[in-house]
Amino acid sequence: MTGALSESPEPLPVVLVGAGNMGRHWIRTIESTPEVRLVGIVDLDLDLAARVAQDEALDVAIGSSVSEVAARSGGAAVVNVTVPAAHRPVNEEALFAGLPVLCEKPIAPTLVDALQQAALAEVAGGLLMVSQSRRYFTELVRLRAIADRLGRVGAITTEFYKAPHFGGFRDRMEQPLLVDMAIHQFDMARYLLRADPVSVSCSSWNPAWSWYDGDASAAATFEFDDGARYSFTGSWCAPGRETSWNGAWRISAEHGTAVWDGDGVPEADGIDSLPEAPDGPEEIAGSLAEFVRSLRSGEVPQNEIHENIHSLAMVEAAVLSARTGERVDIAQLLELRYAEAVRTERRTDVRERLEQWGSVARLRLRGAAEVAS
Ligand SMILES: NC(=O)c1ccc[n+]([C@@H]2O[C@H](COP(=O)([O-])OP(=O)(O)OC[C@H]3O[C@@H](n4cnc5c(N)ncnc54)[C@H](O)[C@@H]3O)[C@@H](O)[C@H]2O)c1
């Protein structure tokens, strides 16, 4: 990876792009993290950016262009909290201005867009990391250590049942649960299994009492490349006995079983004692810490864009399976989307880089080798 910062005791000056709901959470997290320092806020809505800065009592540069604000404020890295359709233009401008980016999930609305951004990051030579923040629950890290001790995994299941009334864009989406939420659990399953998905069969539906326009319920079963199966069932209009936001997990393995309610300490049989949960920041504070660490060390972080594309592929494959009623082969889907990415990329340098890949095997090479630790 290029663009690593030297070991430096100084806090990393960061520009935040996207001052909406999640942007405010990020601002507070950046402000409470000693390793970083907020120097600028960017939003197309300048009044909003100025209002947020005022509300949070911040004396920072305000503007609508990430490269211009970074140049004016001395920003050396970017946190992109815009809506998914704006991730590419913001990441492109930042990366070609020499600024590494930590970008909110999902990295893109489509796999085609995500593949194009992976090639773009290669051309620009900078780090593009996705904030897949639910990987940073310390009890999930402990659950993975338990799974490692339980031997080969046969099956993992997640039940996710909540009844939130968000209002806004989620109520209008065609697949609110699969697209806006399940990417977290799909990514957590990949994290636990240390494997990548091969295929999926998925069904989605909208219960009669649903307050969503699109399908608020889904059931998906994935096959992984180590032979394990991962089954997700969930609903966003399921009042009563709600699960945690992480969902309720069960791991069935060669030497025993582990269960986790997504909040507390996991339970397991088949092992003598529970491994320790690590200390460390959770959720977006956890992804921010890993981003800074990787910039200081030059090491490739979890959720570098090439690696993260496999989680986005699980979502797009599940949506396709739900629409067609067919099992979807994920490698085939990635190859189809790769061909479309080459055909539709508008930048010559990025298109040429995509062509050099030859196939999406490039994703697997980078992902598997670099995230195995
Ligand atoms: N990790 C989580 O648990 C979690 C939770 C909620 C949202 N998110 C993600 O955070 C992101 C933002 O979500 P939100 O709910 O804050 O959305 P939002 O609509 O409240 O805010 C987005 C902001 O981005 C600004 N914007 C849009 N295009 C821009 C551009 N080209 N340049 C600069 N600013 C631009 C908009 O003006 C708006 O202020 C999404 O990717 C969403 O999926 C993640």
Side-chain angles (χ1 to χ4, degrees):
M1 191 187 86
T2 56
L5 306 174
S6 58
E7 279 294 337
S8 160
E10 295 297 317
L12 178 69
V14 166
V15 174
L16 175 121
V17 191
N21 290 328
M22 198 63 194
R24 282 185 189 257
H25 287 291
W26 271 103
I27 286 171
R28 288 172 198 151
T29 299
I30 292 167
E31 282 294 289
S32 58
T33 303
E35 289 78 19
V36 293
R37 178 167 62 91
L38 188 68
V39 295
I41 300 179
V42 174
D43 202 293
L44 294 180
D45 183 343
L46 285 172
D47 291 342
L48 174 68
R51 202 164 57 245
V52 168
Q54 193 180 27
D55 290 350
E56 303 295 324
L58 295 167
D59 181 17
V60 295
I62 301 290
S64 58
S65 152
V66 62
S67 54
E68 186 275 320
V69 167
R72 182 151 46 91
S73 63
V78 170
V79 176
N80 183 355
V81 199
T82 60
V83 291
H87 287 172
R88 155 99 191 228
V90 171
N91 294 342
E92 183 172 350
E93 184 180 341
L95 288 165
F96 279 106
L99 303 162
V101 180
L102 176 59
C103 182
E104 257 297 351
K105 61 85 231 151
I107 184 65
T110 64
L111 269 177
V112 169
D113 183 333
L115 289 162
Q116 290 168 336
Q117 287 193 63
L120 187 148
E122 289 180 21
V123 172
L127 173 63
L128 178 52
M129 172 178 164
V130 184
S131 177
Q132 206 65 69
S133 56
R134 287 187 181 274
R135 277 198 185 199
Y136 297 95
F137 281 89
T138 54
E139 294 300 344
L140 178 75
V141 180
R142 190 200 317 249
L143 184 65
R144 180 155 85 154
I146 294 171
D148 287 345
R149 292 190 191 176
L150 287 176
R152 288 170 293 185
V153 173
I156 298 187
T157 62
T158 313
E159 290 181 351
F160 178 91
Y161 288 91
K162 306 284 294 176
H165 287 263
F166 296 109
F169 73 96
R170 291 181 184 85
D171 290 12
R172 309 276 88 81
M173 289 170 76
E174 190 188 331
Q175 290 285 0
L177 180 73
L178 286 173
V179 170
D180 198 61
M181 187 68 223
I183 188 163
H184 284 298
Q185 281 75 27
F186 294 176
D187 182 71
M188 289 158 86
R190 287 185 55 233
Y191 172 77
L192 288 169
L193 282 166
R194 300 177 189 267
D196 280 324
V198 171
S199 66
V200 61
S201 298
C202 179
S203 157
S204 69
W205 65 99
N206 205 21
W209 62 88
S210 173
W211 50 93
Y212 296 84
D213 290 352
D215 284 356
S217 300
T221 299
F222 294 87
E223 182 182 344
F224 271 72
D225 56 14
D226 63 354
R229 301 293 191 275
Y230 170 62
S231 296
F232 169 93
T233 60
S235 178
W236 248 351
C237 59
R241 298 283 177 135
E242 293 185 25
T243 62
S244 67
W245 278 97
N246 282 326
W249 291 74
R250 182 182 189 95
I251 301 176
S252 169
E254 195 176 6
H255 304 305
T257 291
V259 293
W260 181 44
D261 67 6
D263 272 337
V265 176
E267 295 171 21
D269 49 24
I271 53 173
D272 293 337
S273 61
L274 285 184
E276 290 294 311
D279 262 348
E282 296 196 310
E283 300 190 69
I284 59 174
S287 30
L288 182 61
E290 183 164 5
F291 179 62
V292 175
R293 220 169 30 243
S294 71
L295 290 176
R296 300 271 190 237
S297 68
E299 275 175 29
V300 178
Q302 306 182 71
N303 307 319
E304 189 275 339
I305 180 165
H306 294 74
E307 198 276 339
N308 181 259
I309 281 176
H310 297 289
S311 296
L312 190 65
M314 289 174 78
V315 174
E316 197 159 311
V319 168
L320 185 62
S321 174
R323 194 178 296 146
T324 60
E326 306 278 336
R327 171 182 167 279
V328 172
D329 179 298
I330 292 175
Q332 273 177 17
L333 178 69
L334 274 166
E335 289 299 347
L336 278 172
R337 298 299 188 254
Y338 165 68
E340 194 180 336
V342 174
R343 208 171 50 245
T344 58
E345 174 54 47
R346 55 177 172 72
R347 279 184 75 115
T348 307
D349 50 1
V350 174
R351 190 174 58 252
E352 285 173 356
R353 178 60 68 122
L354 278 165
E355 281 165 351
Q356 280 167 21
W357 288 8
S359 82
V360 282
R362 170 122 180 95
L363 299 175
R364 207 156 287 277
L365 286 177
R366 283 180 66 111
E370 290 166 356
V371 186
S373 62

